[in-house]
Amino acid sequence: VSCLLIQEEMEAFLTESGFKEVDLVVILTWDPTRARWPNQTKAYPVRDMTEDDFSRIHEIDRLAFDSIWRQSLANIAAAFQEAASVRVVELDGKAVGYQISTVNTQRGHLARLAVDPIYQKQGVATSLVGDLLEFFLDKGVVEVSVNTQGDNQESLKLYQKFGFLELEDSYPVYQYALKP
């Protein structure tokens, strides 16, 4: 059982109930005045996600994230329906990375970004984020947010390359181990 602590008043209750802090979610923001595009040795083509991609996207999600962060196929389909931008990088006929993002008036949020571990550290995520920020600029978005784990150094480096800044606010993640 996992819990994202957004109200400090719950911390004592969780710890007294046997929950342990296992992670930290941090928030980063980006605005066009800080826009940067890192040099890429290879830019990958990015295309719109389709419903035909769902099973592969679900597989990427399962491979890229620990169980606490994985999304179900139903959640991916629901996010697809609600999103403003759903894009994939496809190589050799199969999706290898994706992003799902939302827009609320002039604010954007990168809700999900994942790359198949076989293709990580090759510029796929950089291509997806660059494509997304161009999309947001075209829509007149004035601020973009993203959440990630505080110990996910690769993710933090990726966002910082584009000029994202980490906010002071962070949210601990607590877990309770169920007995089999």
Side-chain angles (χ1 to χ4, degrees), residues 92-104:
D92 301 322
K94 76 175 184 179
V96 299
Y98 75 95
Q99 68 80 15
I100 300 174
S101 299
T102 60
V103 173
N104 181 354

Side-chain angles (χ1 to χ4, degrees), residues 119-163:
Y119 298 92
Q120 289 178 2
K121 298 182 183 177
Q122 298 178 35
V124 173
T126 301
S127 292
L128 286 163
V129 173
D131 177 76
L132 175 64
L133 295 178
E134 290 286 352
F135 168 82
F136 282 145
L137 285 173
D138 289 346
K139 295 287 183 194
V141 168
V142 297
E143 183 178 86
V144 178
S145 62
V146 64
N147 306 333
T148 192
Q149 295 87 353
D151 63 355
N152 187 339
Q153 293 305 309
E154 292 300 317
S155 178
L156 292 168
K157 282 192 281 187
L158 169 68
Y159 299 127
Q160 290 164 352
K161 285 192 309 190
F162 285 93

Side-chain angles (χ1 to χ4, degrees), residues 15-44:
T15 55
E16 289 168 9
S17 300
F19 281 77
K20 305 278 186 233
E21 186 175 335
V22 296
D23 213 334
L24 188 69
V25 172
V26 297
I27 304 164
L28 296 98
T29 61
W30 177 90
D31 70 61
T33 63
R34 299 192 299 267
R36 293 195 307 248
W37 270 254
N39 292 329
Q40 284 185 262
T41 54
K42 184 170 188 178
Y44 293 93

Side-chain angles (χ1 to χ4, degrees), residues 65-79:
F65 292 104
D66 290 336
S67 60
I68 186 176
W69 304 112
R70 290 181 189 145
Q71 293 294 316
S72 68
L73 188 57
N75 283 350
I76 290 168

